[in-house]
Structures are given as C-alpha cells and as structure tokens.
Coordinates of all heavy atoms in Angstrom, one line a residue:
F1 N 0.9 -1.2 0.0 CA 0.0 0.0 0.0 C 0.9 1.3 0.0 O 2.0 1.3 0.6 CB -0.9 0.0 1.2 CG -2.0 -1.0 1.2 CD1 -2.9 -1.1 2.3 CD2 -2.2 -1.8 0.1 CE1 -3.9 -2.0 2.3 CE2 -3.3 -2.7 0.1 CZ -4.1 -2.8 1.2
A2 N 0.4 2.3 -0.6 CA 1.2 3.5 -0.8 C 1.7 4.1 0.5 O 2.8 4.6 0.7 CB 0.4 4.6 -1.6
N3 N 0.8 4.0 1.5 CA 1.2 4.6 2.8 C 2.4 3.8 3.4 O 3.3 4.5 4.0 CB 0.0 4.5 3.8 CG 0.3 5.3 5.1 OD1 0.9 6.4 5.0 ND2 -0.2 4.8 6.2
F4 N 2.4 2.5 3.2 CA 3.5 1.7 3.8 C 4.7 1.7 2.9 O 5.9 1.5 3.3 CB 3.1 0.3 3.9 CG 1.8 0.1 4.7 CD1 0.9 -0.9 4.4 CD2 1.5 1.0 5.8 CE1 -0.3 -1.1 5.1 CE2 0.3 0.8 6.5 CZ -0.6 -0.2 6.2
A5 N 4.5 2.0 1.6 CA 5.6 2.0 0.6 C 6.4 3.3 0.6 O 7.5 3.4 0.0 CB 5.0 1.8 -0.8
T6 N 5.9 4.3 1.3 CA 6.6 5.6 1.4 C 6.9 6.1 2.8 O 8.1 6.1 3.3 CB 5.8 6.6 0.6 OG1 4.5 6.8 1.1 CG2 5.7 6.3 -0.9
G7 N 5.8 6.4 3.5 CA 6.0 7.0 4.8 C 6.6 6.0 5.8 O 7.5 6.5 6.6
R8 N 6.2 4.8 5.8 CA 6.7 3.8 6.8 C 8.2 3.5 6.5 O 8.9 3.2 7.5 CB 5.9 2.6 6.7 CG 6.3 1.5 7.7 CD 5.4 0.3 7.8 NE 4.1 0.7 8.5 CZ 3.1 -0.2 8.7 NH1 3.2 -1.4 8.3 NH2 2.0 0.2 9.3
V9 N 8.7 3.6 5.3 CA 10.0 3.1 5.0 C 10.9 4.2 4.4 O 11.8 4.0 3.6 CB 9.9 1.9 4.0 CG1 9.2 0.8 4.7 CG2 9.2 2.3 2.7
Y10 N 10.6 5.5 4.6 CA 11.3 6.6 3.9 C 12.8 6.5 4.1 O 13.5 6.8 3.2 CB 10.7 7.9 4.4 CG 11.0 9.0 3.5 CD1 10.5 9.1 2.2 CD2 11.9 10.0 3.8 CE1 10.8 10.1 1.3 CE2 12.2 11.1 3.0 CZ 11.7 11.1 1.7 OH 11.9 12.2 0.8
D11 N 13.2 6.2 5.3 CA 14.7 6.2 5.6 C 15.3 5.1 4.7 O 16.4 5.3 4.1 CB 14.9 5.9 7.1 CG 16.4 5.9 7.4 OD1 17.1 6.9 7.1 OD2 16.9 4.9 7.9
Q12 N 14.7 3.9 4.6 CA 15.3 2.8 3.9 C 15.3 3.2 2.3 O 16.3 2.9 1.6 CB 14.5 1.6 4.1 CG 14.7 0.9 5.4 CD 14.2 1.5 6.6 OE1 13.2 2.3 6.4 NE2 14.7 1.3 7.8
I13 N 14.3 3.9 1.9 CA 14.3 4.2 0.5 C 15.3 5.3 0.2 O 16.1 5.2 -0.8 CB 12.9 4.8 0.1 CG1 11.8 3.7 0.1 CG2 12.9 5.5 -1.3 CD1 10.4 4.2 -0.1
R14 N 15.4 6.3 1.1 CA 16.4 7.3 0.9 C 17.9 6.8 0.9 O 18.7 7.1 0.0 CB 16.3 8.4 2.0 CG 17.2 9.6 1.9 CD 17.1 10.6 3.0 NE 17.8 11.8 2.8 CZ 19.1 12.0 3.0 NH1 19.8 11.0 3.6 NH2 19.8 13.1 2.7
Q15 N 18.2 6.0 1.9 CA 19.6 5.5 2.0 C 19.9 4.4 1.1 O 20.9 4.4 0.4 CB 19.8 5.1 3.5 CG 19.4 6.1 4.5 CD 20.1 7.4 4.5 OE1 21.0 7.7 3.7 NE2 19.7 8.3 5.5
S16 N 19.1 3.4 1.1 CA 19.5 2.1 0.4 C 19.1 2.1 -1.1 O 19.7 1.4 -1.9 CB 18.8 0.9 1.1 OG 19.2 0.8 2.4
I17 N 18.1 3.0 -1.5 CA 17.7 3.0 -2.9 C 18.0 4.2 -3.6 O 18.7 4.2 -4.6 CB 16.1 2.7 -3.0 CG1 15.8 1.3 -2.4 CG2 15.6 2.8 -4.3 CD1 14.4 1.0 -2.2
A18 N 17.6 5.4 -3.1 CA 17.8 6.6 -3.8 C 19.2 7.1 -3.8 O 19.9 7.3 -4.8 CB 16.9 7.7 -3.2
Y19 N 19.8 7.2 -2.5 CA 21.2 7.6 -2.4 C 22.2 6.6 -3.1 O 23.1 7.0 -3.7 CB 21.5 7.8 -0.9 CG 23.0 8.1 -0.6 CD1 23.5 9.3 -1.0 CD2 23.8 7.2 0.0 CE1 24.9 9.6 -0.8 CE2 25.2 7.5 0.2 CZ 25.6 8.7 -0.1 OH 27.0 9.0 0.1
S20 N 21.8 5.4 -3.1 CA 22.7 4.3 -3.6 C 22.3 4.1 -5.1 O 23.0 3.3 -5.8 CB 22.5 3.0 -2.9 OG 22.8 3.2 -1.5
D21 N 21.3 4.8 -5.6 CA 20.9 4.7 -7.1 C 20.7 3.3 -7.5 O 21.3 2.8 -8.5 CB 22.0 5.4 -8.0 CG 21.5 5.5 -9.4 OD1 20.3 5.7 -9.6 OD2 22.3 5.4 -10.3
K22 N 19.9 2.6 -6.7 CA 19.6 1.2 -7.0 C 18.3 1.1 -7.9 O 17.4 1.9 -7.8 CB 19.3 0.4 -5.6 CG 20.5 0.3 -4.8 CD 21.6 -0.6 -5.5 CE 22.7 -1.0 -4.6 NZ 23.7 0.2 -4.5
N23 N 18.4 0.1 -8.7 CA 17.3 0.0 -9.8 C 16.1 -0.7 -9.2 O 15.7 -1.8 -9.7 CB 17.9 -0.8 -11.0 CG 17.0 -0.8 -12.2 OD1 16.3 0.1 -12.4 ND2 17.1 -1.9 -12.9
V24 N 15.5 -0.1 -8.2 CA 14.3 -0.7 -7.5 C 13.0 0.0 -8.0 O 13.0 1.3 -8.1 CB 14.4 -0.5 -6.0 CG1 13.1 -1.0 -5.3 CG2 15.6 -1.3 -5.5
K25 N 11.9 -0.7 -8.3 CA 10.7 -0.2 -8.6 C 9.7 -0.3 -7.4 O 9.4 -1.4 -7.0 CB 10.1 -0.9 -9.8 CG 11.1 -1.1 -11.0 CD 11.9 0.0 -11.4 CE 13.0 -0.3 -12.4 NZ 13.9 0.8 -12.8
I26 N 9.4 0.8 -6.8 CA 8.5 0.9 -5.7 C 7.1 1.1 -6.2 O 6.8 2.1 -6.8 CB 8.9 2.0 -4.7 CG1 10.4 1.8 -4.3 CG2 8.0 2.1 -3.6 CD1 11.0 3.1 -3.7
C27 N 6.3 0.1 -6.0 CA 5.0 0.0 -6.7 C 3.9 0.1 -5.6 O 3.8 -0.8 -4.8 CB 4.8 -1.2 -7.5 SG 6.1 -1.3 -8.8
A28 N 3.1 1.2 -5.6 CA 2.3 1.5 -4.5 C 0.8 1.6 -4.8 O 0.4 2.5 -5.6 CB 2.8 2.9 -3.9
S29 N 0.0 0.8 -4.2 CA -1.4 0.7 -4.5 C -2.2 1.4 -3.3 O -1.6 1.9 -2.3 CB -1.9 -0.7 -4.5 OG -3.3 -0.8 -4.8
H30 N -3.5 1.6 -3.5 CA -4.3 2.2 -2.5 C -3.9 3.5 -2.1 O -3.9 3.9 -0.9 CB -4.4 1.2 -1.2 CG -5.0 -0.1 -1.5 ND1 -4.7 -0.9 -2.6 CD2 -6.1 -0.7 -0.9 CE1 -5.4 -2.0 -2.5 NE2 -6.3 -1.9 -1.6
A31 N -3.5 4.4 -3.0 CA -3.1 5.8 -2.7 C -4.3 6.7 -2.7 O -5.3 6.5 -3.4 CB -2.1 6.2 -3.8
G32 N -4.2 7.8 -2.0 CA -5.2 8.8 -2.0 C -6.5 8.6 -1.3 O -6.7 7.5 -0.7
L33 N -7.4 9.5 -1.5 CA -8.7 9.4 -0.8 C -9.5 8.3 -1.4 O -10.4 7.7 -0.7 CB -9.5 10.7 -1.0 CG -9.1 12.0 -0.2 CD1 -9.9 13.2 -0.7 CD2 -9.2 11.7 1.2
T34 N -9.3 7.9 -2.6 CA -10.1 6.8 -3.2 C -9.9 5.5 -2.6 O -10.6 4.5 -3.0 CB -9.9 6.8 -4.7 OG1 -8.5 6.7 -5.0 CG2 -10.6 7.9 -5.4
L35 N -9.0 5.4 -1.7 CA -8.9 4.1 -0.9 C -10.2 4.0 -0.1 O -10.6 2.8 0.1 CB -7.7 4.2 0.1 CG -7.5 3.1 1.1 CD1 -7.5 1.8 0.5 CD2 -6.3 3.4 1.9

C-alpha cells in the first residue's frame, strides 16, 4: 500500500535505494482518498 511504501520506509528508500541509485521499482497501491 502507498502509505507503507513511502511513509513507513522513507529512511530505507532514501539511504538504500535513492542515495545508492539502486534499480528498484517501488509500486504503491491504495493511494489517495479513493482508498
């Protein structure tokens, strides 16, 4: 879910994926009010 794919794991995404330029596809469902 989008909430868990971003807010819950932001530190891991920042350090292990973005800063390290890793080829990871973060795919987030159930985003927004339409959940």
Side-chain angles (χ1 to χ4, degrees):
F1 288 178
N3 191 37
F4 309 145
T6 56
R8 180 172 288 182
V9 295
Y10 197 68
D11 182 56
Q12 284 74 22
I13 293 173
R14 184 181 187 274
Q15 311 296 2
S16 298
I17 296 173
Y19 175 66
S20 303
D21 191 30
K22 292 294 187 285
N23 192 30
V24 174
K25 316 307 172 186
I26 301 164
C27 302
S29 182
H30 293 56
L33 286 175
T34 51
L35 174 52

